[in-house]
Amino acid sequence: MLQASLIVRFIMKSRLRSALLWITWGLRLALLVWLLSSLVPPRARAILGEPQQVSTTKPKLCLHTRLIDEVYDWKIQRSLEMIRQMGASTIVEFFPWAYFEPSAGQFNWQRADFIMRHAENQGLRVLARMGFVPEWARPASTGQISTFNSLPRQSYAAFGRFAAQFAVRYHHLLAGIILWNEPNLDYEWGYRPVSPAEYAELLAVAAPLIRQAAPSVSILGGALAPTREPPGSPHGMDDLIYLEQMLEAGAAQHMDMLAVHTYGFTAPADEPPSPDRLNFRRVELLHAILQRSAPLPIAITESGWNDHPRWTKAVSPSLRIQYTLDSLRLGESWDWLRYHCLWVFRFPTPYYAYPDHFAMATTLFQPLPIYYALRDYAQGQPMSVVRWLPAPR
Amino acid sequence: MVARPTLRRLRWPTLAFLILVIVLAWPRDDAARQRDEARRLIASGVLRIGIDASYPPFASWQDGQLVGFDVDLGLALAEALGVEARFVPLSFDGLYDALKTVQVDVLISALVYNPARTAEVAYTRPYYDNGLLLVSRAERPLDAMAAIVGLRLAYQYGSDADTEARKWARRIADFDIMPYELPTHALDALCLSQADAALVEATTYFLHARQSKKLGRTCPAHAIYVTHNPYVVATRLDQPALRNALDSLIESFQRTGRIDTLRAKWL
């Protein structure tokens, strides 16, 4: 009996030991799995290299970038590098207010710091476009759903204070600050009726705050969308009429430069301007209107041609190159033009639609023929290579 | 003989009542229920459709009329819902904001499914695929990109097809690349036997084939999808009934061949 009891006890003990062993190893294995699963490859870092300088013969050449929504740091760096190599010395970049001041008075400049640091490293100056209203500064609900473009009058000062903080922080790198984008379109004006007087008021509130905080920073107003919306249209206002009215409302005294968007669509660069045509030289009409109020210079902050095969406002890739270069040459001859910025260097992700065909490089950084043509132009060289085969016959 | 007393106990009015209950409670066709819900949702009787009218053959102005594949699809969907279609022309940039701010009920505008937007919009199933097609000659059909080894591939320089071709050039043994300025040039090269295959987006291929037929040119070709680029209808997230109704209608249009008829009209 005693022997049997000892045997049972032994078995029990050894079972317990074995169970404990299993549990221990199980825990070890779980720990190992957890450790392995928490291992992720490090994100590619974008380390600042030697400071660079832009080598160019065309100081007005500038590209609009889309860096702020880029996830990967190295892609921001690569974009700026390619722009510098092309020979553009200035970029226009959007700095959405909502990204940097998510709560009133609480700033997070991390992303802007990164972009600015890398722009500086490549020897580039920045025209900073401001807009995109944070939730806290949008109108209280009045039945209409607000958008990121809904800026009520009571938030003009808050917007101005944000722009002033931005100007102070980056004044040494800024070519200027563009206050708002295309306020003559309803959706860019938060679906309120567009109003040149209200926009002039926005400038009157924001500009003094920026000037006081960072007197060396240029303030750009306007950035109107080229459009021939008829009077009373709910969608927007003709840019020529809008400009006249915003100047009548006193906007000129709150700007150092007028920002202009002028696209060629299907017309060649030298097509004469006319109020009933949307073409590149529409900028001359805007300039003439501006000169009647104030002798301010102009910055073209968006321009270019599109080469989508089916969009009704596009041209072929070779015409796009020709018209773009012609427009730049025209711009060179205008002493009132400070910057000539082309839309757009590259998109972070493709639209899979015609807007992709405004880009100079694919999302995978493949330079498009227009990129090489602009590089040759900026370096003062003749266009180097035709990169496609002749049409088959 | 056994059932008779039971039947006798059930009076005719009771039977009629039971039949009525069964008929009413019988599960109806899901699609029909969704259509009813969607119709109730569109209380005004009008389906407002946001559309960018600068993108033929999907939507464009012709003699003051809005026409195209998307226009016809919008009309067909509205008709099936029993409401009127009202098209709201918008610029591409303004499409999603107009949907978000309830200025339109849906977007039918050659929109590609965008996963980044699914937090704010709901998409239907695709009604069209504008992915890249590998087009080869009918007498020498290619059924996969890998079959291009040693052959000549034509495409548009700088296009999505170019990106795809470069990807394949890294994957498989060499093939001759033939970049052209226009995607139609790539198809012309194939038709003229100057290339063995062309890589173009589906819309380009369909339009080219249509044009060739119209001009009496013969270019028998074989085409397979290499990538997919689904066009979808977008609705607001807070209108699942509308989204579901449109989705089931598109499904039924696909099943009955109505989508193919629409496509054949424009592409």
Side-chain angles (χ1 to χ4, degrees):
Chain A
M1 270 311 278
L2 186 66
Q3 267 184 342
S5 148
L6 278 172
I7 289 165
V8 167
R9 218 179 283 170
F10 177 78
I11 291 168
M12 290 295 282
K13 260 189 179 177
S14 64
R15 273 195 182 164
L16 190 68
R17 214 177 295 141
S18 148
L20 279 172
L21 204 66
W22 274 106
I23 290 168
T24 315
W25 274 106
L27 283 172
R28 283 175 185 170
L29 191 68
L31 188 67
L32 184 70
V33 168
W34 177 75
L35 276 173
L36 287 174
S37 64
S38 63
L39 287 177
V40 286
R43 282 173 70 163
R45 292 179 64 193
I47 299 161
L48 288 173
E50 283 291 303
Q52 303 290 324
Q53 280 190 328
V54 179
S55 161
T56 186
T57 63
K58 304 293 185 287
K60 289 182 189 177
L61 181 62
C62 153
L63 290 188
H64 205 305
T65 47
R66 285 283 307 270
L67 304 174
I68 198 69
D69 290 320
E70 184 54 78
V71 177
Y72 296 100
D73 293 350
W74 72 266
K75 291 188 179 180
I76 293 175
Q77 185 180 39
R78 181 75 190 119
S79 299
L80 295 169
E81 213 171 61
M82 282 179 71
I83 290 166
R84 190 251 309 156
Q85 287 164 350
M86 176 200 272
S89 48
T90 312
I91 60 166
V92 181
E93 176 58 35
F94 184 31
F95 292 93
W97 179 17
Y99 288 21
F100 303 109
E101 196 180 0
S103 314
Q106 301 291 311
F107 295 95
N108 178 357
W109 298 110
Q110 202 184 346
R111 210 64 190 146
D113 282 349
F114 183 86
I115 292 171
M116 287 299 195
R117 207 164 44 237
H118 279 268
E120 182 181 26
N121 189 245
Q122 296 298 329
L124 300 168
R125 298 203 8 113
V126 180
L127 280 163
R129 194 187 116 190
M130 305 266 128
F132 214 70
V133 185
E135 187 85 43
W136 58 267
R138 285 194 234 157
S141 179
T142 52
Q144 166 97 358
I145 297 166
S146 71
T147 72
F148 283 107
N149 294 324
S150 305
L151 181 66
R153 284 167 121 154
Q154 58 268 29
S155 293
Y156 287 179
F159 176 62
R161 282 193 294 274
F162 162 72
Q165 290 264 0
F166 187 94
V168 169
R169 194 172 180 88
Y170 305 114
H171 64 95
H172 58 297
L173 300 170
L174 289 174
I177 280 187
I178 307 165
L179 292 175
W180 214 255
N181 182 60
E182 302 187 338
N184 60 325
L185 295 183
D186 66 337
Y187 67 88
E188 296 283 4
W189 198 236
Y191 290 109
R192 286 176 294 154
V194 298
S195 163
E198 277 182 31
Y199 178 64
E201 194 186 325
L202 168 63
L203 292 179
V205 172
L209 294 167
I210 301 167
R211 281 181 175 154
Q212 196 182 6
S216 64
V217 172
S218 295
I219 296 167
L220 286 82
L224 306 176
T227 175
R228 289 179 51 239
E229 281 298 322
S233 163
H235 302 304
M237 189 185 282
D238 185 304
D239 49 339
L240 302 178
I241 297 167
Y242 191 100
L243 179 63
E244 267 173 13
Q245 292 187 12
M246 70 177 247
L247 292 171
E248 276 165 21
Q253 58 181 304
H254 305 295
M255 307 188 304
D256 301 306
M257 243 183 282
L258 177 73
V260 167
H261 294 180
T262 182
Y263 285 91
F265 300 110
T266 55
D270 59 357
E271 183 181 88
S274 164
D276 61 359
R277 286 285 292 162
L278 294 182
N279 60 19
F280 172 71
R281 286 178 64 193
R282 193 169 178 84
V283 62
E284 293 178 50
L285 302 180
L286 292 162
H287 174 248
I289 293 167
L290 179 66
Q291 293 312 296
R292 291 205 291 270
S293 289
L296 295 177
I298 281 179
I300 294 175
T301 50
E302 278 188 30
S303 184
W305 278 261
N306 181 296
D307 59 12
H308 188 276
R310 288 184 310 281
W311 189 39
T312 53
K313 296 167 190 168
V315 295
S316 68
S318 52
L319 279 181
R320 179 187 178 201
I321 290 172
Q322 185 192 321
Y323 293 171
T324 306
L325 295 180
D326 289 348
S327 75
L328 289 165
R329 288 184 196 110
L330 264 172
E332 278 178 55
S333 67
W334 295 332
D335 58 0
W336 41 265
L337 185 70
R338 291 283 180 279
Y339 300 99
H340 193 151
C341 308
L342 300 171
W343 176 263
V344 55
F345 173 65
R346 170 188 167 270
F347 292 109
T349 51
Y351 287 94
Y352 296 108
Y354 64 82
D356 292 334
H357 288 249
F358 276 114
M360 320 274 160
T362 66
T363 54
L364 299 174
F365 292 101
Q366 184 193 332
L368 297 173
I370 184 102
Y371 175 90
Y372 296 111
L374 288 169
R375 192 188 60 186
D376 293 341
Y377 161 79
Q379 304 307 325
Q381 290 167 358
M383 230 169 80
S384 45
V385 197
V386 176
R387 290 172 189 273
W388 47 66
L389 299 167
R393 288 174 192 281
Chain B
M1 293 303 283
V2 177
R4 197 169 280 189
T6 315
L7 273 175
R8 225 180 277 140
R9 275 203 299 276
L10 286 172
R11 297 187 195 288
W12 282 111
T14 315
L15 265 177
F17 176 74
L18 279 174
I19 290 166
L20 185 71
V21 166
I22 289 166
V23 165
L24 287 176
W26 196 261
R28 293 181 61 199
D29 169 18
D30 258 8
R33 196 148 32 85
Q34 282 160 0
R35 275 201 294 278
D36 289 348
E37 264 183 69
R39 202 178 297 131
R40 268 199 299 278
L41 203 73
I42 310 163
S44 62
V46 174
L47 181 69
R48 296 166 305 166
I49 302 169
I51 198 162
D52 172 8
S54 65
Y55 203 43
F58 295 92
S60 62
W61 293 103
Q62 237 173 55
D63 304 324
Q65 293 289 311
L66 199 56
V67 295
F69 185 1
D70 284 345
V71 178
D72 283 354
L73 178 63
L75 289 169
L77 290 171
E79 186 194 23
L81 285 172
V83 294
E84 183 197 329
R86 182 180 299 156
F87 290 95
V88 181
L90 298 162
S91 69
F92 186 86
D93 293 344
L95 286 170
Y96 281 104
D97 269 0
L99 181 67
K100 196 178 158 196
T101 53
V102 200
Q103 306 196 24
V104 295
D105 303 305
V106 295
L107 301 175
I108 307 179
S109 197
L111 283 182
V112 173
Y113 173 80
N114 183 349
R117 287 198 183 266
T118 48
E120 44 182 28
V121 298
Y123 293 113
T124 61
R125 73 187 57 217
Y127 61 86
Y128 176 68
D129 186 353
N130 193 35
L132 291 173
L133 288 176
L134 178 67
V135 188
S136 50
R137 292 187 64 84
E139 67 270 18
R140 197 178 177 184
L142 302 179
D143 283 317
M145 271 300 283
I148 197 72
V149 179
L151 302 177
R152 299 163 297 175
L153 180 69
Y155 55 84
Q156 184 193 15
Y157 186 95
S159 64
D160 292 341
D162 187 341
T163 307
E164 189 65 20
R166 284 168 196 253
K167 194 170 87 185
W168 280 95
R170 288 192 296 272
R171 276 185 196 172
I172 58 177
D174 62 340
F175 54 88
D176 288 339
I177 53 166
M178 301 180 68
Y180 286 99
E181 183 188 0
L182 301 175
T184 46
H185 290 174
L187 288 166
D188 289 341
L190 174 74
C191 293
L192 295 167
S193 298
Q194 293 171 18
D196 300 301
L199 195 56
V200 292
E201 57 175 28
T203 306
T204 303
Y205 168 66
F206 293 134
L207 291 175
H208 188 268
R210 196 183 175 89
Q211 186 68 10
S212 298
K213 198 174 165 190
K214 206 186 274 182
L215 296 172
R217 292 182 199 146
T218 51
C219 181
H222 171 80
I224 56 144
Y225 276 101
V226 172
T227 64
H228 297 281
N229 209 0
Y231 282 8
V232 287
V233 175
T235 62
R236 277 187 300 284
L237 273 184
D238 62 2
Q239 294 199 310
L242 180 58
R243 182 255 165 217
N244 292 342
L246 294 171
D247 190 66
S248 63
L249 282 173
I250 290 171
E251 190 271 333
S252 81
F253 286 0
Q254 280 165 341
R255 201 168 6 92
T256 57
R258 193 158 179 194
I259 287 276
D260 289 338
T261 312
L262 287 182
R263 191 187 70 69
K265 182 178 167 190
W266 293 103
L267 290 159

